[in-house]
Amino acid sequence: MKAPHLLASTLFAAAATLLTPSPSRADEAAFLTGIRQLTFEGKRAGEGYFSADGKKMIFQSEREADNPFYQIYLMDLETGDQRRVSPGFGKTTCAWIYPDDNRILFASTHLDPEAKAKQDAEFKERQSNRVRKYSWDYDEHFDLFSYSLSDNKLTQLTSSVGYDAEGAVSPDGRQIVFASNRAAYEGQLSASDAERLKIDKQYFMDIYVMNADGTNARRLTDVPGYDGGPFFSADGSRICWRRFDEKGMTAEIHTMKTDGSDQRQITKVGAMSWAPYFHPSGDYLIFTNNVNGFANFELYIVDALGKHDPVRITGTDGFDGLPVFSPDGKKLSWTSGRTANSNSQIFIADWNDAAARKTLGLDKPSTGAVAEKGTAPKPGTVEPPPGAPDLSTTSAEITPADMKQHITYLASDALQGRLTGTPGEKLATEYMASVFQQLGLVPFGDDNTYYSNFEFTAGVALGEGNKMELTSASQKMHLTSDQDWRPLSFSQTGDIAASEIVFAGYGIETPDNWTDSNGKKLEPYSSYFHLDVKDKWVLVLRYLPENLSQDRRNELLRFTSLRHKALTARQKGARGIIVASGPNSKVVEQLVPLTFDASLASSGIAAVSVTDATADRILAAAEIGKTLVQLQSDLDKGDPIQGIPLGKLKLSAHIAIAQEKKKGRNVLAVLCKGTEPDFHTAPIIIGAHIDHLGTNGGSSSRAKGGDVHKIHHGADDNASGSAGVLEIAQWLVDMKKQGKLDQKRDILFAAWSGEELGLLGSTHFCESLAKMIKGDPNAKLTGMLAAVLNMDMIGRFNKNLVLQGVGSSSWWPREIEQRNAPLGIPITTQNDAHLATDSTTFYTRGIPTLNAFTGAHEDYHMPSDTADKINYEKAAQVAKFMGLVTRSLSTTFDAPDYIAMEAPKNQGTRTGLRVYLGTIPDYAQGDIKGVKLSGVSPVGPAAKAGVKAGDIITKLGDKDIQNIYDYTYVMGEMKIGKETTIIVQREGKPVELKIVPGSRD
C-alpha cells in the first residue's frame, strides 16, 4: 500500500534483463485509454480504492490547512461529492470501504498524545525548505479504526503498541488483513534488534489477519524483513503482498491463501517491486517497480502464478504506483506524478483486459465473479422432448415460419398449459434447453446445466387430524371436517382452546372518520357495536348485506373480504372467526374452498368456514330463538344489528393445513464473447417467461364455468415471447459465426418460469446473483447487468408494438429509433417500468429494462389463447427488433444508464386506496410474518422514511401486519399527510421509522 522506505541507493540495471523490454510512451495506450486526473486539491493525494460497487473511492490527501499529514476522504464517483471521514488531526493512511458501503477502515494516530506537536514540527520542517527524501516512519501510534457513514461513529479496532496499518477488508466483510510490527514491541528483542527497531521499524513488519470487529488477530508471516501492503483477491481466496529482503534493498510480490498457507513468490526481479493488486478475475496482478531506474517507478503486470515475465504498462515520465482495478475490471486507478507540478495525485483510465491477457499469454478470457457458477463448462446432453420440432428445419434468420414452429409446440395440448412445477413446464424447459444446446450456447444454470431450479408453494390442502367440537351445558357435538366445516387457507394452525362464541353479523367495521375519494364523509358501519369478542370465536356472515344500494355496496366492498374480516376480529382480540355463507346468499358451495392465495402468512387467528346447517346447529344450541336466515334477513335490510353472545356455548378445534411444495426451473444460456461466461463486463439479458396457467387457470383465469378447467394454452402469453428468445439466439449465433458480431459483452438468454405465480423465477435469479456477488440477496444489481430486455406477449399485433419501460434509461429513445429504422414497425412507447412481468424484478434492483408487448386481447388468460390466432409476420418483426437492440448493446462497452422512477400512483387502486407509500411487496415471500419488500419507489414516502428493499413490514401505526392483506387494509385507514410509524424487520432486528403517507390522486 504505502510507498516503501527506500534504503537502497544502488542501481538495478543488471536486473532489467529479467523483465520484458520497457515499452515506449505510445505503448502505454495499448493498456490505458481515457487517462484523466481524478484528484487535484492539496499538496498530494494517493491510495485511491474503489467501493464494492465501484461508485465511490476512498483516498488519502494532504489538503487540511492546519494539518500537514494525510487525512482520509470519500469521493462519490457519480456526483463528485467528497467528505472527510478521518478525525482531521494526527496522521492517517491506508483506507478501505467495507462491502456494506457504510463503513470505512483506515489507520490513524489521532489518539497519540503528541499528535498535535508532531503536526507543528512537520510544519516547521517544511517551512525550512530543506530538501529531504520522502520516507514513511511507521509511527507506533498507528491503529486501525472503523468509521460508520450512517452515524459518524468511530470505532477503534486495534490498540497494540506498534504500527497497525495497511488494512483491507475481505470481500465478504468478515476479515481484515493488515500489516503490523507489534511483535517487536511485545517480546524481548536481542540487543542488535532493539537498536535496529530505533532506526528501521519496517524490518519487523508482518502480515496479520483478524475478524472484522478487531478480534482474533492471527499472524500470517514471520520472516525477517518487511512484509506489508496486503490485499485480498476478489473471490477472497488469496492475499497478495510485498516482501523486502532483510537489507530492505529489494522487494518481490508474493501471494498466499488467507490462512497463511501456500505462500508463493510471484516475481523475481531483484528490484523494488511493491503495491501489488489482483485483477478481479484473479488471473493476474498489477504492481509497481523501479527496475527502469531508482526513482523511475512504473506499473507492471504479472500472471498470478508468476510463469510469465512481468510486462511494463506505463511509460510516462514521473512516478506511477499504487495501482488498483475497479471491481468490474474495466478501469485502473493509480497514484501518479504526471501532474503539471509533479506532485502526486490520483489518476484513472479505462483498462484493456484483452491486451493484458494477450501480452501475458493468458488465452482464456476473464471469468469475473459471476462466472463462479462454472468455468469453461461443457454443455450436457439435453434430449429434445418427444414430439418437439426439429431445429434443423429452421432458418438462421428470424422468420414467421420459425416463430410458428416454436409457438405451435409450446402452446400444444401436449404441454398442458406449462404451469410451473408440472410435467408441462418440464417439457417446455427441456425444449428451450435442447435448442440452446444445439445452438452451442454455454449453460449457466445449476451445476453447469441449463436449468436454474427453485422451490415454491403450489397449493394448500387439509392436513392430518382436523377436528372441531361444540360443547354446551347439555350436549357435546363433534363436527366433521370437510363436511360440516373446513379451515380457511390463512387460518392459524394447531390446537384452539374451547372458547365462547359471539355472533357479529357480517363482521364489517369501517373507520370512524371515513370519507370517499373526494373527501365526502361516509356513514360508518359496525358489526361489533357493544360486543365483547376478546378470546372468543366470532361467527360472521360471508359477504355483505344483500339489499344494499349499489353505491353503498361499493362503499363497503373493501371491508368484506374474508382476510379483512379476520383482521378486524383479530385486532379486537378474538381467538377465531367462523364464516357462514347464509341462506340468502344462495352460494353453490357452502364451505369456502381451501385455495392457495398470494400470501402464505397466517391471519394470526383461527379461521374456519361452516355450512349454513352447522351455523344453525350452533344457534339452536345457544338457544337465542333465531335461525341463521332470520338473522341474515334482518341484517340484509342495511342497518347493522347489535351482536349477540351465544350463551355458554364453547367451541374447540385442532386445525391442520398442509402446504404443497413444488419445484420450477428457469432455463439460462450464454452466448459468450470469448469461450466461457465473462460477466466481468456486465452482460445483457434477453428473456421471456416460459410458464402459463396450466389446465386449471385458478384465480388468474378469465374463463367462466367449466372452461376454467380446460388447458390454458398461452400461445401469446407467453409462448410468443419464448419463441422470440429462441429465434434471437439462433440469429445472433449465426451472426457470430459469420464474424458479424463483435461482442464486447456476453448475452444471457433466459426463459423465466413462475412468472404467472408472482415473478418467482426472475426473483430467484436476482436473489441468487445478489447473494453471490454482494452477500445480500436483496442488494441492488446496478452495474452487474448492462440491461434486461423482455418479451411478454408479442404475438397478437394489432396496430402498434408497445415498448414499456422506456423511462428506465435515457438510452432507449435513440436506440428504438435506430433499431426500428430498417423495420418500420409502428411503435408506441410507455415510460413506466413497473410492470406485471419479469422485467420489473430487475428494474427495482437498479437495472434499465425494456419490455416488448403487443397488447391485451379477449383471449388473455383464457383457454382460447391458441397458436392459430398469432400474427406470425409481426411477431417475427418484433423479435427481430429486440434482436437488433440486443446486438447493439452487446457490441459496445457503453451501457444504458439507469433512471429511477416512482411507481404510478394509480396502481393497485382496485381496493379504492387513496393512500400511497411507494412500497413494492415481494409477492413470492412465502411463509413470512409481515410483508417483505422487493423494493421501494426511490422517490416515494417509504424511501424518504428510510424503508429499504428486503425489509419486512411488521407494524403500521398501531396495527400489527402479518401479511399483504393486513397491509392493504391498514393502509386504507391511514390519513394522507399525517405522519405515523412503520416498523420493519431488517437483518433480524426491528427498526422503527416515521412515514408520511402520500396521495395516489
Side-chain angles (χ1 to χ4, degrees):
M1 284 185 171
K2 183 58 57 186
H5 178 44
L6 303 179
L7 301 178
S9 59
T10 57
L11 298 177
F12 302 103
T17 57
L18 298 176
L19 290 160
T20 53
S22 301
S24 65
R25 292 186 186 181
D27 290 330
E28 185 176 88
F31 303 97
L32 301 171
T33 55
I35 297 173
R36 63 185 178 90
Q37 188 172 337
L38 193 59
T39 61
F40 293 84
E41 187 180 350
K43 181 178 177 62
R44 62 172 66 93
E47 294 209 57
Y49 302 107
F50 292 94
S51 60
D53 62 5
K55 293 182 178 181
K56 297 182 180 67
M57 177 177 283
I58 196 75
F59 66 98
Q60 61 192 38
S61 177
E62 294 179 7
R63 59 177 61 178
E64 299 293 326
D66 58 351
N67 189 344
F69 299 119
Y70 284 123
Q71 289 297 303
I72 306 301
Y73 302 85
L74 180 67
M75 178 190 298
D76 188 320
L77 295 175
E78 294 184 324
T79 65
D81 293 345
Q82 295 185 20
R83 61 184 286 193
R84 192 187 75 212
V85 297
S86 57
F89 59 93
K91 308 169 189 174
T92 60
T93 190
C94 305
W96 193 265
I97 304 174
Y98 284 73
D100 63 14
D101 207 31
N102 181 52
R103 292 175 292 165
I104 306 296
L105 174 73
F106 63 89
S108 176
T109 68
H110 68 276
L111 297 183
D112 178 5
E114 300 297 319
K116 185 66 168 63
K118 291 177 181 178
Q119 290 178 196
D120 295 340
E122 180 66 18
F123 272 127
K124 290 180 181 179
E125 179 65 29
R126 294 186 181 185
Q127 291 168 358
S128 70
N129 293 322
R130 286 194 296 269
V131 177
R132 56 177 179 160
K133 183 169 61 179
Y134 173 80
S135 65
W136 193 245
D137 61 7
Y138 298 95
D139 191 320
E140 64 269 24
H141 291 93
F142 266 113
D143 281 307
L144 291 171
F145 294 83
S146 174
Y147 176 80
S148 171
L149 296 173
S150 59
D151 59 11
N152 302 322
K153 183 179 179 181
L154 189 63
T155 302
Q156 186 173 3
L157 300 179
T158 65
S159 57
S160 298
V161 178
Y163 173 88
D164 289 335
E166 304 175 19
V169 184
S170 61
D172 61 9
R174 295 180 179 179
Q175 297 189 89
I176 294 172
V177 64
F178 64 103
S180 177
N181 59 7
R182 58 174 62 190
Y185 296 87
E186 294 170 347
Q188 185 68 35
L189 298 178
S190 65
S192 59
D193 279 349
E195 287 300 312
R196 185 162 193 167
L197 181 61
K198 295 177 182 178
I199 61 172
D200 187 14
K201 297 175 183 178
Q202 61 89 25
Y203 174 81
F204 299 93
M205 295 292 295
D206 280 302
I207 306 298
Y208 288 75
V209 69
M210 65 181 179
N211 296 343
D213 61 1
T215 61
N216 193 25
R218 291 93 71 195
R219 190 175 181 177
L220 300 184
T221 63
D222 187 9
V223 175
Y226 171 93
D227 286 306
F231 292 102
F232 289 97
S233 59
D235 64 2
S237 65
R238 297 192 72 82
I239 294 169
C240 64
W241 85 99
R242 62 178 182 264
R243 170 171 286 170
F244 286 26
D245 65 1
E246 288 193 52
K247 296 181 180 180
M249 298 182 68
T250 63
E252 302 292 354
I253 306 304
H254 290 66
T255 72
M256 60 181 164
K257 291 184 178 179
T258 53
D259 62 0
S261 64
D262 191 28
Q263 296 190 12
R264 304 176 186 176
Q265 182 176 337
I266 304 303
T267 63
K268 297 179 182 179
V269 178
M272 191 61 68
S273 300
W274 59 287
Y277 199 89
F278 280 106
H279 183 265
S281 67
D283 295 337
Y284 59 93
L285 300 93
I286 192 164
F287 64 99
T288 311
N289 187 277
N290 68 345
V291 72
N292 306 104
F294 173 72
N296 184 19
F297 283 96
E298 303 290 352
L299 302 184
Y300 282 81
I301 54 174
V302 64
D303 63 288
L305 298 178
K307 294 182 177 180
H308 193 284
D309 289 337
V311 174
R312 184 176 176 181
I313 299 300
T314 56
T316 301
D317 291 340
F319 170 85
D320 288 298
L322 298 157
V324 297
F325 290 108
S326 60
D328 62 5
K330 293 170 64 175
K331 294 187 180 297
L332 181 78
S333 176
W334 74 103
T335 305
S336 180
R338 59 179 72 196
T339 57
N341 58 10
S342 297
N343 288 343
S344 294
Q345 294 288 349
I346 298 175
F347 282 70
I348 193 169
D350 294 325
W351 176 251
N352 190 334
D353 175 67
R357 292 176 178 280
K358 182 177 181 180
T359 193
L360 288 174
L362 298 172
D363 294 330
K364 70 171 185 173
S366 165
T367 59
V370 178
E372 291 173 6
K373 293 178 75 71
T375 55
K378 294 182 179 179
T381 300
V382 181
E383 295 294 335
D390 187 354
L391 186 65
S392 65
T393 64
T394 62
S395 166
E397 286 295 318
I398 300 173
T399 67
D402 293 350
M403 290 288 291
K404 184 175 184 179
Q405 177 170 303
H406 296 308
I407 293 173
T408 300
Y409 174 70
L410 291 172
S412 64
D413 287 354
L415 270 63
Q416 295 287 291
R418 310 186 308 280
L419 181 66
T420 304
T422 66
E425 181 225 29
K426 183 178 180 182
L427 290 173
T429 51
E430 279 181 0
Y431 179 62
M432 297 291 290
S434 68
V435 174
F436 287 155
Q437 178 180 264
Q438 292 175 71
L439 294 175
L441 299 178
V442 176
F444 199 68
D446 303 332
D447 302 320
N448 290 339
T449 69
Y450 290 100
Y451 306 120
S452 173
N453 300 284
F454 57 90
E455 188 176 67
F456 67 100
T457 300
V460 290
L462 285 178
E464 295 291 332
N466 280 284
K467 62 181 180 179
M468 182 176 282
E469 189 173 79
L470 187 66
T471 306
S472 67
S474 59
Q475 61 179 317
K476 181 179 291 187
M477 291 180 284
H478 295 280
L479 304 178
T480 305
S481 66
D482 220 28
Q483 178 178 315
D484 300 321
W485 72 282
R486 180 185 295 156
L488 299 179
S489 61
F490 50 79
S491 175
Q492 173 185 327
T493 57
D495 290 322
I496 313 299
S499 306
E500 295 180 14
I501 308 172
V502 297
F503 176 72
Y506 276 98
I508 297 171
E509 183 161 84
T510 63
D512 293 334
N513 298 313
W514 183 34
T515 62
D516 65 13
S517 59
N518 297 315
K520 177 185 175 182
K521 189 172 182 179
L522 299 176
E523 182 183 353
Y525 186 104
S526 176
S527 300
Y528 290 89
F529 184 68
H530 290 324
L531 184 64
D532 177 19
V533 302
K534 185 171 176 55
D535 295 329
K536 300 174 183 177
W537 289 90
V538 180
L539 173 62
V540 302
L541 291 161
R542 184 170 173 180
Y543 300 108
L544 77 166
E546 295 291 330
N547 299 326
L548 298 178
S549 68
Q550 188 60 49
D551 287 345
R552 187 58 170 165
R553 291 180 67 85
N554 292 340
E555 291 171 1
L556 294 177
L557 192 60
R558 70 182 181 91
F559 302 100
T560 61
S561 77
L562 296 184
R563 280 273 193 178
H564 195 288
K565 291 182 179 183
L567 168 66
T568 302
R570 189 191 80 213
Q571 290 176 340
K572 291 186 172 295
R575 178 159 291 168
I577 184 171
I578 307 167
V579 178
S581 297
N584 295 347
S585 301
K586 304 186 187 308
V587 296
V588 175
E589 187 175 352
Q590 288 269 302
L591 297 178
V592 177
L594 188 61
T595 56
F596 168 69
D597 61 23
S599 172
L600 296 177
S602 163
S603 59
I605 64 171
V608 303
S609 72
V610 297
T611 64
D612 292 346
T614 302
D616 270 325
R617 290 171 68 185
I618 294 173
L619 295 172
E623 300 178 352
I624 64 170
K626 284 199 173 185
T627 63
L628 187 63
V629 68
Q630 290 173 321
L631 290 172
Q632 186 177 23
S633 296
D634 289 342
L635 287 162
D636 285 351
K637 296 174 184 177
D639 295 325
I641 61 175
Q642 187 169 330
I644 306 171
L646 300 185
K648 299 299 182 181
L649 198 64
K650 289 189 176 183
L651 186 70
S652 63
H654 177 81
I655 299 174
I657 300 174
Q659 294 181 3
E660 180 187 7
K661 297 288 185 179
K662 288 188 177 181
K663 287 186 177 180
R665 61 186 186 183
N666 301 320
V667 186
L668 303 173
V670 182
L671 178 58
C672 303
K673 64 179 181 180
T675 59
E676 63 183 50
D678 176 11
F679 282 17
H680 201 66
T681 300
I684 178 78
I685 295 182
I686 174 71
H689 76 87
I690 186 70
D691 65 304
H692 196 52
L693 303 183
T695 56
N696 186 341
S699 61
S700 295
S701 175
R702 295 177 58 247
K704 303 296 182 183
D707 285 350
V708 172
H709 304 290
K710 292 182 178 180
I711 296 173
H712 287 60
H713 298 90
D716 186 28
D717 185 17
N718 187 32
S720 64
S722 299
V725 170
L726 294 177
E727 283 293 278
I728 292 170
Q730 187 173 14
W731 177 62
L732 290 175
V733 166
D734 182 68
M735 288 196 72
K736 187 168 185 178
K737 288 179 180 178
Q738 296 182 55
K740 296 180 180 180
L741 184 66
D742 184 17
Q743 277 181 266
K744 300 297 190 300
R745 65 180 76 247
D746 286 355
I747 303 170
L748 175 61
F749 296 93
W752 310 115
S753 193
E755 191 267 0
E756 300 287 6
L757 300 179
L759 314 185
L760 302 182
S762 55
T763 298
H764 170 74
F765 175 86
C766 286
E767 289 181 347
S768 300
L769 181 62
K771 185 175 182 179
M772 181 170 62
I773 302 302
K774 292 192 173 183
D776 177 6
N778 301 304
K780 292 286 188 181
L781 298 176
T782 307
M784 297 183 198
L785 302 170
V788 172
L789 307 178
N790 194 62
M791 294 178 288
D792 194 348
M793 298 173 61
I794 64 168
R796 298 288 285 269
F797 187 95
N798 184 11
K799 295 180 179 180
N800 296 286
L801 164 64
V802 182
L803 293 176
Q804 301 167 311
V806 175
S808 69
S809 175
S810 63
W811 183 288
W812 296 135
R814 179 189 60 189
E815 191 69 22
I816 292 168
E817 177 181 294
Q818 293 180 358
R819 305 312 150 204
N820 192 40
L823 297 172
I825 305 173
I827 288 177
T828 296
T829 61
Q830 295 177 355
N831 283 335
D832 183 30
H834 297 86
L835 310 169
T837 189
D838 292 299
S839 61
T840 299
T841 306
F842 296 90
Y843 177 70
T844 57
R845 297 223 178 206
I847 305 300
T849 59
L850 187 69
N851 184 68
F853 174 61
T854 55
H857 44 80
E858 65 276 8
D859 298 309
Y860 171 69
H861 278 202
M862 298 274 283
S864 53
D865 181 10
T866 50
D868 60 300
K869 297 178 181 178
I870 298 297
N871 184 335
Y872 290 105
E873 187 73 33
K874 290 297 184 182
Q877 283 192 333
V878 173
K880 183 62 175 290
F881 169 80
M882 295 298 280
L884 287 167
V885 176
T886 306
R887 175 189 174 278
S888 172
L889 289 171
S890 72
T891 55
T892 176
F893 284 119
D894 296 331
D897 57 330
Y898 173 77
I899 298 176
M901 291 183 292
E902 188 174 5
K905 293 183 179 180
N906 61 353
Q907 285 190 349
T909 56
R910 286 175 295 177
T911 58
L913 290 178
R914 292 181 62 228
V915 168
Y916 172 70
L917 297 184
T919 54
I920 303 171
D922 179 358
Y923 290 100
Q925 70 177 42
D927 192 8
I928 295 175
K929 183 179 179 180
V931 174
K932 183 180 179 182
L933 301 179
S934 63
V936 295
S937 178
V939 292
K944 293 176 182 177
V947 179
K948 300 179 179 179
D951 285 349
I952 301 172
I953 299 174
T954 58
K955 198 164 189 175
L956 198 56
D958 61 352
K959 302 293 178 64
D960 292 330
I961 305 297
Q962 298 209 16
N963 50 60
I964 186 65
Y965 303 98
D966 289 1
Y967 184 52
T968 303
Y969 303 142
V970 174
M971 280 179 63
E973 300 174 5
M974 299 177 71
K975 299 298 182 183
I976 295 167
K978 184 177 180 180
E979 183 181 80
T980 188
T981 57
I982 182 171
I983 296 178
V984 302
Q985 284 286 324
R986 183 178 296 165
E987 297 179 353
K989 297 179 180 179
V991 178
E992 182 173 321
L993 304 166
K994 300 291 186 182
I995 190 168
V996 180
S999 173
R1000 294 180 184 274
D1001 299 331

